[in-house]
Amino acid sequence: REIYSSYIRHVRDTVRITADRTTIRQAMASHHIASEYAKLKRIKEEEGLDILTLTDRSGKVILRINNPGLLGDTLNDNEFIKYVLSLKKAIGSTTIADATELQMESPNLAKRAHFKFIDTPKARIKAESEETAGMMIGAAAPIFDFKDNLVGAVYGGILLNRNYEIVDKIKQTVFQGMKYKGKDIGTATIFQDDVRISTNVLREDGSRAVGTRIAENVYARVVVQGLPWIDRAFVVNNWYITAYEPIKTISGKIIGILYVGLLEEKYSDIKRQTMLTFLGVTALGLVASLVISYFLSRNISRSIGKLVSASRQMARGKLDVHVDVKSRDEIGELAGTFNFMASALRERDEKLKEFATKKIMESERLAVIGQLAAGVAHEVNNPLQGILSYSCLLVENISPDDPNMELVEKIAHQATRCKNIIRGLLDFARQTVPEMKYCQMNSIVAETLALVERQSIFHNIEVIKNFDSNLPNTVLDPAQMQQVLMNIIINAAEAMDGQGTLSVATRTDPAKEFIEVEIADTGLGISKENLERIFDPFFTTKDAGHGTGLGLAISYGILKKHGGTIQVNSEVGKGTTFTLSLPVVEEAEKEKGHGRD
Ligand code: ADP
Ligand code: MG
């Protein structure tokens, strides 16, 4: 716009200076203006004007440099002359000169202004097919005589049609003639209405795209609405980043457009290239991350596979598995934990196996001994009964003074001892049938204690009772249970040798599923090797005639028969604790809950 305006100023200044020339004023005063022709012709050529014309103060042409022979017509319709004659001031602007006006000046100008329209893609549709009028930068200035009276006017102009000076100057000044792929990056155009009359936008064949038309949407905004357009637009045959501005006459009527545009291709190429680079980098990154994640996941899934197969083997019972994963991540940690778990399981499994074999051997041994004992006892019982009966008869029948009396009495006494042993054996072999009753363990324990406490061996023993008052009733054989308690309590008294503390306690678990009786003494304790054998029949540490070694064996059998257990804890020199544990059986369950063996 500034470059365009500078041309308007140039034309205006030229006509003003011309009008101010003393020689012109003198010639006007003496009515010999024709004498100025040569001088004015030179000014016109030097200043690049296409038109230079002088009128008198009524607007009648008195000198036309282009066509000196044609005089006398008035330029009253010329808006510059009209302005100057009425306001007496110089003026410059853009205007439209019609074909007749141009023709009067010179056929050359008329020819330069004439355009046959050339159609291009996206160009505005128009009914007319040619343009004969021209667009001009024009200016006029008043001529005064020496008394400052208005005597005439000077009118000058540059026809813009096919005049490429302004657009090329814009291209050179603003864009410095930069090129991209052989095309000018920066372009400028002057439109007359919608037709390119001066431009450096080129057509395919390399010629200037004059005679082509603007796009409809740009026209609608700039010419119809009078607003600037700053956006991308399709110009002749390429996309440009453009700016359009209306060109107006003195009275403000829009008659054309001033345009500058940057070839978009350069920027869209940069955009495309950036995009491609970006896509390339992204694709490369994607491929790299795929490769990395493939190896990572292969490592992980391989490790997990090892763990899975090890777990399967373990589930099948093969406990000596070891997972060989050495990575330092969570998987490695998991594998370590897995190996630790496997070895812990292995250890526990071995202990369990050991324990089970021991238990099986123990119960097998007890069973065999039990059968043997039962058989022997049964066979021996009848002849022994005979010995006992006949020895008793003998004791009754011979006189007390008989010297054999003592011997017979010894036979009877020893036979009674044998009988007791046999009964013990039969008890152990569970030949006797238990009589199950629903009863309270606390009272059985209390009764048993009352029975034994009166014996002399208990005189120096302190008995501490600690009974759980919430102990539930359960189904059991009270007589057999009393026998068990008696055995253990007497053993305790013997171990304390009649001096010490006997603690007897009962208790139950919160769910009342079993009851326990704990009998603790402060006796001599049991050594480790004996601890394993105390439930064996005939195992005793007592002198012959004192212990039979059947007490604990029988108690074990009774507890087993009740579905319970008997446990022992002992420390040599400190004392021993026996714990009886029995399941709580409700009366209704009596039938099915018992009789197990
Ligand atoms: P016996 O009492 O006839 O010896 P038991 O079967 O009752 O037979 O006991 C076996 C052995 O267990 C006893 O000889 C004794 O060595 C040991 N024993 C049992 N109870 C105790 C106890 N409270 N303190 C120390 N040793 C005991
Ligand atoms: Mg005993």
Side-chain angles (χ1 to χ4, degrees):
R1 173 63 76 179
E2 184 50 37
I3 292 170
Y4 184 80
S5 300
S6 75
Y7 275 84
I8 296 179
R9 280 198 303 275
H10 167 71
V11 177
R12 193 194 58 203
D13 290 348
T14 307
V15 293
R16 207 188 53 220
I17 290 161
T18 308
D20 272 352
R21 288 175 76 97
T22 317
T23 52
I24 297 276
R25 291 165 81 178
Q26 274 169 349
M28 286 295 281
S30 59
H31 301 286
H32 272 97
I33 196 70
S35 62
E36 291 297 310
Y37 174 75
K39 207 178 286 164
L40 289 174
K41 186 171 160 59
R42 206 188 64 236
I43 289 173
K44 174 183 167 279
E45 271 153 22
E46 275 173 6
E47 301 303 330
L49 301 183
D50 289 315
I51 292 175
L52 190 60
T53 298
L54 271 67
T55 71
D56 66 8
R57 64 154 308 155
S58 67
K60 199 169 82 190
V61 174
I62 51 173
L63 182 60
R64 182 177 263 122
I65 304 300
N66 276 330
N67 198 348
L70 187 65
L71 297 175
D73 57 310
T74 62
L75 290 185
N76 278 336
D77 288 342
N78 183 304
E79 51 187 338
F80 298 100
I81 300 292
K82 234 191 276 179
Y83 180 95
V84 167
L85 293 184
S86 61
L87 294 175
K88 301 176 186 171
K89 271 201 294 192
I91 176 82
S93 184
T94 316
T95 189
I96 298 290
D98 61 27
T100 10
E101 197 184 328
L102 292 170
Q103 198 66 49
M104 276 168 84
E105 285 292 333
S106 104
N108 233 354
L109 286 185
K111 204 177 133 203
R112 237 177 74 193
H114 178 256
F115 282 113
K116 273 205 157 35
F117 299 149
I118 299 164
D119 283 322
T120 55
K122 296 187 205 266
R124 177 171 187 254
I125 312 291
K126 198 174 188 174
E128 297 87 350
S129 64
E130 57 176 4
E131 176 65 69
T132 53
M135 193 157 86
M136 297 191 50
I137 286 178
I143 308 171
F144 298 101
D145 65 9
F146 296 106
K147 288 181 191 132
D148 269 350
N149 295 316
L150 182 71
V151 289
V154 179
Y155 170 63
I158 298 173
L159 182 67
L160 293 170
N161 302 40
R162 291 192 173 92
N163 177 341
Y164 306 119
E165 200 187 318
I166 298 177
V167 290
D168 285 352
K169 180 143 190 194
I170 293 172
K171 183 176 104 177
Q172 210 51 49
T173 313
V174 181
F175 306 110
Q176 278 149 13
M178 271 195 298
K179 285 186 182 289
Y180 181 71
K181 291 187 182 166
K183 291 176 209 160
D184 285 317
I185 286 181
T187 54
T189 297
I190 296 167
F191 288 87
Q192 177 180 338
D193 193 32
D194 60 355
V195 183
R196 290 187 181 83
I197 56 165
S198 173
T199 183
N200 40 42
V201 176
L202 302 182
R203 285 169 54 201
E204 300 293 349
D205 60 9
S207 64
R208 292 186 191 251
V210 285
T212 56
R213 295 187 311 278
I214 198 168
E216 176 66 55
N217 53 345
V218 183
Y219 183 83
R221 183 171 167 89
V222 183
V223 176
V224 180
Q225 292 181 42
L227 297 169
W229 167 286
I230 299 168
D231 203 339
R232 64 197 292 263
F234 194 80
V235 177
V236 185
N237 46 26
N238 277 303
W239 282 99
Y240 285 81
I241 299 159
T242 62
Y244 291 83
E245 243 184 33
I247 296 174
K248 296 175 184 170
T249 62
I250 305 176
S251 56
K253 189 178 161 228
I254 297 171
I255 51 168
I257 305 167
L258 200 57
Y259 148 94
V260 286
L262 275 167
L263 193 64
E264 197 189 44
E265 198 178 330
K266 183 180 173 186
Y267 300 95
S268 51
D269 277 1
I270 293 175
K271 203 165 95 181
R272 199 173 44 239
Q273 212 142 14
T274 313
M275 193 77 104
L276 282 176
T277 314
F278 177 77
L279 279 178
V281 169
T282 310
L284 228 88
L286 200 73
V287 168
S289 59
L290 273 177
V291 169
I292 292 171
S293 57
Y294 169 75
F295 282 109
L296 271 181
S297 70
R298 204 177 61 161
N299 256 357
I300 291 173
S301 61
R302 204 187 276 162
S303 306
I304 288 182
K306 281 185 190 170
L307 275 166
V308 167
S309 83
S311 312
R312 285 218 181 99
Q313 286 183 28
M314 214 153 143
R316 270 187 239 116
K318 189 169 179 285
L319 291 182
D320 57 341
V321 287
H322 181 86
V323 182
D324 188 30
V325 174
K326 288 199 177 60
S327 57
R328 285 161 158 262
D329 53 8
E330 286 84 351
I331 299 280
E333 207 172 305
L334 181 63
T337 316
F338 182 89
N339 288 336
F340 177 71
M341 180 184 79
S343 77
L345 273 176
R346 221 161 28 234
E347 232 168 76
R348 216 191 59 173
D349 191 58
E350 269 156 27
K351 270 191 194 151
L352 265 176
K353 266 186 201 154
E354 217 173 278
F355 182 73
T357 11
K358 219 170 104 182
K359 276 282 151 195
I360 289 165
M361 275 166 61
E362 191 181 286
S363 64
E364 267 175 5
R365 198 181 61 207
L366 288 181
V368 168
I369 295 170
Q371 269 175 347
L372 190 74
V376 172
H378 202 77
E379 291 302 318
V380 172
N381 206 24
N382 286 343
L384 189 66
Q385 205 66 49
I387 296 173
L388 196 60
S389 313
Y390 294 128
S391 60
C392 285
L393 266 176
L394 268 179
V395 170
E396 277 170 27
N397 290 348
I398 59 171
S399 81
D401 310 325
D402 196 304
N404 290 323
M405 184 62 169
E406 201 183 342
L407 298 174
V408 176
E409 267 179 356
K410 270 188 182 162
I411 291 171
H413 178 72
Q414 294 297 336
T416 312
R417 235 187 98 201
C418 280
K419 201 189 123 187
N420 284 340
I421 293 172
I422 295 295
R423 195 189 311 135
L425 270 178
L426 285 173
D427 276 351
F428 166 68
R430 282 168 248 117
Q431 294 291 327
T432 48
V433 183
E435 265 179 64
M436 299 306 242
K437 273 186 202 156
Y438 188 62
C439 45
Q440 172 57 246
M441 184 57 111
N442 277 345
S443 45
I444 297 172
V445 177
E447 270 168 39
T448 315
L449 278 174
L451 270 177
V452 294
E453 264 174 332
R454 266 182 250 127
Q455 302 192 13
S456 59
I457 192 169
F458 277 90
H459 285 167
N460 288 319
I461 290 174
E462 190 193 357
V463 179
I464 300 172
K465 298 171 205 169
N466 202 347
F467 294 168
D468 183 350
S469 53
N470 287 324
L471 201 72
N473 281 13
T474 183
V475 171
L476 46 78
D477 181 332
Q480 286 191 348
M481 210 42 71
Q482 200 166 33
Q483 192 187 347
V484 171
L485 291 168
M486 192 89 85
N487 280 338
I488 293 170
I489 290 167
I490 288 178
N491 276 349
E494 283 174 350
M496 291 188 283
D497 203 14
Q499 197 127 25
T501 310
L502 179 77
S503 315
V504 183
T506 60
R507 58 173 170 252
T508 182
D509 65 310
K512 300 198 169 168
E513 284 178 337
F514 58 86
I515 56 174
E516 278 183 354
V517 184
E518 194 180 86
I519 299 147
D521 63 57
T522 54
L524 43 84
I526 308 168
S527 72
K528 258 223 159 71
E529 63 261 37
N530 284 353
L531 209 54
E532 293 187 355
R533 304 172 57 199
I534 55 171
F535 293 106
D536 288 1
F538 305 115
F539 174 78
T540 180
T541 54
K542 294 163 192 169
D543 299 337
H546 276 279
T548 56
L550 282 173
L552 285 180
I554 291 166
S555 302
Y556 180 92
I558 290 171
L559 258 297
K560 214 178 155 194
K561 189 140 187 138
H562 279 79
T565 59
I566 176 165
Q567 275 174 333
V568 59
N569 260 312
S570 185
E571 207 175 314
V572 175
K574 283 211 170 151
T576 308
T577 304
F578 280 89
T579 308
L580 310 181
S581 183
L582 280 166
V584 172
V585 180
E586 294 299 325
E587 196 166 20
E589 300 173 46
K590 190 159 98 179
E591 306 309 321
K592 50 184 168 155
H594 276 272
R596 55 189 116 167
D597 207 342

